[in-house]
Amino acid sequence: MSMNKLLGDLLEDAENRYGLIIKVARLAKQIKEETKELEGTTNPVIQALQEIAAEGDGTLLVDSK
């Protein structure tokens, strides 16, 4: 599933879109801080989107790149 589709689905299903965006931003910032020393990590925003999507359906998407 593409990240654009994932984000679109999350926004469509969200009761509070603003709250969702804030949640993604906060989680991405946290992930970035936790992984800043690691090389080759996935983009923090993508990781945040995947984690939030997984909260809804229990599925964690893995980027094959």
Side-chain angles (χ1 to χ4, degrees):
M1 177 182 290
S2 75
M3 287 302 116
N4 288 338
K5 171 119 175 68
L6 178 60
L7 178 58
D9 290 348
L10 285 172
L11 286 171
E12 189 175 302
D13 296 340
E15 292 179 24
N16 180 351
R17 289 180 175 193
Y18 178 76
L20 175 65
I21 297 302
I22 295 299
K23 185 176 180 179
V24 169
R26 285 184 180 151
L27 184 55
K29 183 177 179 181
Q30 176 186 340
I31 291 168
K32 184 177 180 181
E33 287 299 312
E34 292 173 356
T35 61
K36 67 182 175 185
E37 302 296 322
L38 302 176
E39 292 183 28
T41 59
T42 303
N43 181 310
V45 174
I46 292 172
Q47 284 183 285
L49 285 170
Q50 290 176 333
E51 288 184 30
I52 291 170
E55 289 175 2
D57 67 5
T59 303
L60 182 62
L61 302 174
V62 177
D63 190 348
S64 60
K65 293 181 183 178

